[in-house]
Amino acid sequence: MSWIRDSTLNWIQRLAVKIVKSGQIPRHVAFIMDGNRRYANKKNVEKVEGHTQGFYKLTETLQWCLELGVPEVTVYAFSIENFKRSKEEVDGLMDLARKKFQGLLDERDKLMENGVCIRVVGNLSLIPEDVQKLIAEAMIITKDNSKAVLNLAFSYTSRDEITQAVKDVVDGVKSTELLVEDINEDLINDCLYTHKSPEPDLLIRTSGEIRLSDFLLWQITSTCIYFAEVLWPEFTVWDLLAAVLYYQRCTYDLRLVAKKVESKHLICNNRITSYICNVYKQRQMFIENISQTAVQ
Ligand code: FPP
Ligand code: MG
């Protein structure tokens, strides 16, 4: 199963997409893809099959987002809390990731043709080394693509992300590259895993659960949040369109106008930006080192 799929829409769905596109379209949609195990239970199959169906739904949803004109998507693929699940399930999810990232590298030409940039946001040091290496390679080969961005939150929680950002800031103060007076929201924001992305305009959680599960807590202060009853593997284009219509009502009611997205190009010309540039350089070196490490 490819990451890039052909359209699955019939003519009525295509017409509905066209109508919804006449309104404001979110530039960044985040998904909490919840309900894979309940789906597996309902269909009487193994949990890992529920997650595999969840992956198929992810690829289908990405295609719908492209057709709608949404340029950036972030999905919660594996939370740090998920490491507390049974060994069998965690191993099954890591194996799925291994296969899918290997598949992604095998179809790199298709990804490059479609201009898709893959970013994995999360604490990579917690996952098996061979999966880290595949992820690092996927990020490196697609890093300059800009037609569409897919952020996969993998081994991620917001509390971990904010903790790591605070550590980066503390390191800067300890090494005297930063002053205590330099610390503000922008600096913390620039040290987050997600610093390259605009805040999500719309967050969709499936499966009827009304909670945020430690996902993008810093980033969603002005985000419209849509809870759908459907289990993730059963999510349809109609559910996506309902969520986007909700976003359109939400922005109209609040008179929110999508902020113009400036490309986040950092100029390292003062103490603070020079420090942030160094942090990014070290992160890039970490990714490059992983991609070059021989895995046993
Ligand atoms: C939540 O459902 C889903 C997950 C923990 C995993 C989601 C992962 C995918 C859809 C595929 C990921 C893609 C890659 C590349 C690895 P749940 O397990 O909490 O189900 P439940 O709420 O019914 O218990
Ligand atoms: Mg769940």
Side-chain angles (χ1 to χ4, degrees):
M1 166 61 59
S2 168
W3 285 70
I4 310 272
R5 293 181 61 163
D6 294 330
S7 177
T8 53
L9 300 182
N10 61 33
W11 72 270
I12 302 180
Q13 292 166 333
R14 275 204 299 277
L15 180 65
V17 165
K18 214 168 167 183
I19 293 167
V20 172
K21 273 178 92 165
S22 62
Q24 189 166 303
I25 292 296
R27 302 145 312 162
H28 182 184
V29 180
F31 291 90
I32 302 180
M33 310 181 287
D34 196 21
N36 291 353
R37 294 186 301 183
R38 273 166 281 171
Y39 173 82
N41 217 11
K42 191 168 143 186
K43 299 283 171 187
N44 229 344
V45 293
E46 296 290 321
K47 285 182 192 133
V48 70
E49 181 54 27
H51 294 309
T52 304
Q53 291 304 320
F55 177 79
Y56 294 160
K57 187 54 65 179
L58 166 60
T59 59
E60 200 176 22
T61 304
L62 291 175
Q63 178 55 33
W64 296 334
C65 286
L66 281 178
E67 287 174 73
L68 260 172
V70 175
E72 182 150 359
V73 169
T74 300
V75 295
Y76 209 178
F78 190 86
S79 149
I80 292 176
E81 288 297 307
N82 292 153
F83 281 112
K84 295 182 185 154
R85 294 187 177 186
S86 72
K87 180 170 171 0
E88 190 192 359
E89 189 182 350
V90 173
D91 287 351
L93 274 161
M94 289 301 151
D95 209 36
L96 181 64
R98 195 173 279 119
K99 284 192 195 119
K100 297 307 173 191
F101 280 105
Q102 186 57 62
L104 185 151
L105 294 173
D106 293 343
E107 61 171 5
R108 65 182 72 192
D109 292 348
K110 209 167 172 188
L111 274 175
M112 302 311 274
E113 254 168 54
N114 285 274
V116 181
C117 171
I118 305 277
R119 295 187 195 132
V120 178
V121 289
N123 193 334
L124 294 190
S125 65
L126 302 176
I127 62 178
E129 278 182 17
D130 63 324
V131 182
Q132 283 185 26
K133 185 173 161 71
L134 294 169
I135 287 175
E137 285 175 28
M139 290 210 283
I140 289 171
I141 60 169
T142 64
K143 77 175 173 27
D144 296 322
N145 291 346
S146 57
K147 271 198 210 144
V149 177
L150 170 61
N151 303 295
L152 278 149
F154 197 82
S155 184
Y156 175 92
T157 57
S158 281
R159 281 180 288 184
D160 173 68
E161 178 182 38
I162 295 167
T163 306
Q164 299 303 330
V166 169
K167 281 187 182 167
D168 280 335
V169 171
V170 170
D171 284 348
V173 173
K174 267 166 86 181
S175 65
T176 69
E177 287 162 273
L178 289 178
L179 302 177
V180 172
E181 303 82 271
D182 295 334
I183 302 173
N184 57 28
E185 288 178 14
D186 288 341
L187 179 61
I188 305 264
N189 196 60
D190 285 336
C191 289
L192 296 175
Y193 298 141
T194 54
H195 67 87
K196 288 188 181 151
S197 303
E199 289 169 7
D201 299 307
L202 172 64
L203 166 65
I204 302 172
R205 180 179 188 138
T206 56
S207 93
E209 300 283 341
I210 315 289
R211 53 204 168 84
L212 297 171
S213 301
D214 214 343
F215 186 50
L216 303 179
L217 299 183
W218 178 283
Q219 296 87 342
I220 56 169
T221 48
S222 314
T223 299
C224 298
I225 304 180
Y226 183 82
F227 295 101
E229 286 295 323
V230 63
L231 302 175
W232 174 250
E234 295 178 331
F235 189 71
T236 68
V237 71
W238 299 115
D239 296 309
L240 179 62
L241 292 177
V244 173
L245 285 172
Y246 167 78
Y247 162 77
Q248 292 177 342
R249 266 206 320 276
C250 193
T251 50
Y252 180 78
D253 288 347
L254 298 171
R255 302 287 186 272
L256 290 175
V257 179
K259 281 174 250 151
K260 195 170 169 289
V261 198
E262 305 294 345
S263 70
K264 288 195 166 185
H265 187 71
L266 197 65
I267 302 163
C268 313
N269 62 352
N270 66 29
R271 185 177 59 240
I272 302 177
T273 52
S274 297
Y275 182 71
I276 296 169
C277 286
N278 276 336
V279 169
Y280 295 167
K281 244 184 248 161
Q282 279 168 24
R283 289 186 190 173
Q284 188 57 29
M285 271 162 55
F286 174 69
I287 294 295
E288 278 163 21
N289 286 341
I290 298 175
S291 78
Q292 285 157 13
T293 312
V295 177
Q296 314 299 322

